[in-house]
């Protein structure tokens, strides 16, 4: 019979998936993967700060993630290209965090747990933080959904409609920092971005509308968490990386299913003649534009 710690681990994975689903869609649409890495890697600095000042780890991680996200957002594109700035910030934050941890004397640090997560050690208090953060992120995205979507799809149209694209970007930045703070115990700082990108990428293969992509991304994230925990329990593998491996396998299956669907449409087009080709092309373009 499964122990209580496995049940808590499953609930923690579900909680992170609920927050990562909608936020991951925007990370994919806006191509913010490197931005997510920089924010997540800064979490290690937050861990060091929390341990040094004897503060709750979640508080330090959230503060440092917000600081890094705002710094990168303000500095990108001024002196260096955006990808260069993000690459420097991401790896510098990780390296400085690791070095800073080595200076903490008399403090035992589970470095592997912070880097790759320790979901099987989640407590009831951790669950409260995870679901509280997930509820905050989901509510924030739902509240600003139309504005965020407009600013993502067409910034010029958003500006003409009175939507401040910079403010919407700031909201995404804050939501990303909250997610990093609550997901630290589940998948660690090195794999947080994977939980954002992979489920959203898998959902994109089937979603016809942004709302469908949100729902499918959450479903893929939940399935990945449960499958990864089951695999970790069965084969005694690290839980955090196992969750990401499960998500990648689901992404591969989604791409394979998408390829089969496109192949069937191509066969239908060739057998239906020019009229059928026009209809299928029109359907695919409508589906593509809705994403």
């Amino acid at each position: 019979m499964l122990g209580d710690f496995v049940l808590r681990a499953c609930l923690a994975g579900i909680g992170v998936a609920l927050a990562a689903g909608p936020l991951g869609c925007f990370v994919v649409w806006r191509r913010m993967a490197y931005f997510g890495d920089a924010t997540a890697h800064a979490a290690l600095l937050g861990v060091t700060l929390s341990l040094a000042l004897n503060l709750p780890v979640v508080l330090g991680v959230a503060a440092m993630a917000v600081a890094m996200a705002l710094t990168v957002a303000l500095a990108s594109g001024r002196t260096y290209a955006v990808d260069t700035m993000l690459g420097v910030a991401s790896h510098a934050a990780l390296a400085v965090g690791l070095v800073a941890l080595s200076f903490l004397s008399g403090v035992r640090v589970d470095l592997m747990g912070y880097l790759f997560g320790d979901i099987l050690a989640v407590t009831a208090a951790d669950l409260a933080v995870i679901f509280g953060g997930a509820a905050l992120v989901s509510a924030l995205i739902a509240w600003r959904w139309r504005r965020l979507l407009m600013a993502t799809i067409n910034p010029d149209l958003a500006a003409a409609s009175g939507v401040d694209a910079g403010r919407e970007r700031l909201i995404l930045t804050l939501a990303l920092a909250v997610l990093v703070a609550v997901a630290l115990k589940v998948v660690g700082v090195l794999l947080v971005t994977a939980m954002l990108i992979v489920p959203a990428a898998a959902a994109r293969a089937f979603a016809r509308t942004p709302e469908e992509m949100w729902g499918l991304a959450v479903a893929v994230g939940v399935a990945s968490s449960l499958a990864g925990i089951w695999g970790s329990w069965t084969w005694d593998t690290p839980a955090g990386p196992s969750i990401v491996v499960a998500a990648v396998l689901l992404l591969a299956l989604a791409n394979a299913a998408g390829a089969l669907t496109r192949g069937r449409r191509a066969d239908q087009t060739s057998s239906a003649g020019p009229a059928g080709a026009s209809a299928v092309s029109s359907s695919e373009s409508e589906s593509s534009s809705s994403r």
Side-chain angles (χ1 to χ4, degrees), residues 196-274:
L196 284 167
I197 297 173
V198 180
R204 194 172 191 175
F206 298 101
R208 293 171 294 178
T209 66
E211 291 78 13
E212 281 189 10
M213 186 168 168
W214 174 343
L216 288 173
V218 170
V220 172
V222 169
S224 302
S225 298
L226 298 179
I229 292 169
W230 174 83
S232 174
W233 176 269
T234 302
W235 294 298
D236 194 24
T237 56
S242 297
I243 291 172
V244 175
V245 168
V248 171
L249 290 175
L250 289 177
L251 173 61
L253 290 174
N255 286 333
L260 288 174
T261 301
R262 288 191 295 271
R264 289 175 182 173
R265 288 179 180 174
D267 292 340
Q268 291 174 358
T269 301
S270 61
S271 63

Side-chain angles (χ1 to χ4, degrees), residues 83-228:
D83 59 340
T84 302
M85 184 65 190
L86 289 173
V88 170
S90 174
H91 296 94
L94 183 61
V96 172
L98 290 170
V99 171
L101 276 175
S102 67
F103 284 100
L104 294 179
S105 58
V107 177
R108 294 187 61 186
V109 179
D110 180 13
L111 187 58
M112 293 297 289
Y114 287 122
L115 291 178
F116 299 104
D118 192 10
I119 191 172
L120 295 178
V122 166
T123 64
D126 293 327
L127 283 178
V129 171
I130 289 172
F131 275 92
L136 179 61
V137 170
S138 299
L140 191 61
I141 297 296
W143 173 47
R144 309 294 296 185
W145 176 255
R146 292 190 178 277
R147 295 179 181 87
L148 286 169
L149 204 56
M150 187 179 295
T152 299
I153 295 173
N154 194 329
D156 293 333
L157 179 61
S161 302
V163 176
D164 187 347
R167 181 176 57 195
E168 305 309 318
R169 190 184 310 114
L170 176 61
I171 289 173
L172 280 179
T173 297
L174 296 176
L176 188 58
V178 172
L179 176 70
V180 168
V182 301
L184 181 67
K185 196 72 176 270
V186 176
V187 289
V189 300
L190 296 183
L191 300 176
V192 170
T193 309
M195 284 301 292
L196 284 167
I197 297 173
V198 180
R204 194 172 191 175
F206 298 101
R208 293 171 294 178
T209 66
E211 291 78 13
E212 281 189 10
M213 186 168 168
W214 174 343
L216 288 173
V218 170
V220 172
V222 169
S224 302
S225 298
L226 298 179

Side-chain angles (χ1 to χ4, degrees), residues 11-72:
L11 290 174
I14 292 171
V16 170
L18 291 174
L23 192 54
C25 293
F26 284 102
V27 170
V28 169
W29 292 332
R30 287 173 170 259
R31 295 175 179 152
M32 293 173 59
Y34 236 154
F35 188 85
D37 268 337
T39 306
H41 289 176
L44 204 57
L45 277 172
V47 171
T48 305
L49 178 66
S50 300
L51 294 176
L53 300 179
N54 197 24
L55 296 173
V57 172
V58 172
L59 182 61
V61 168
M64 193 56 65
V66 169
M68 172 61 75
L70 293 177
T71 300
V72 170

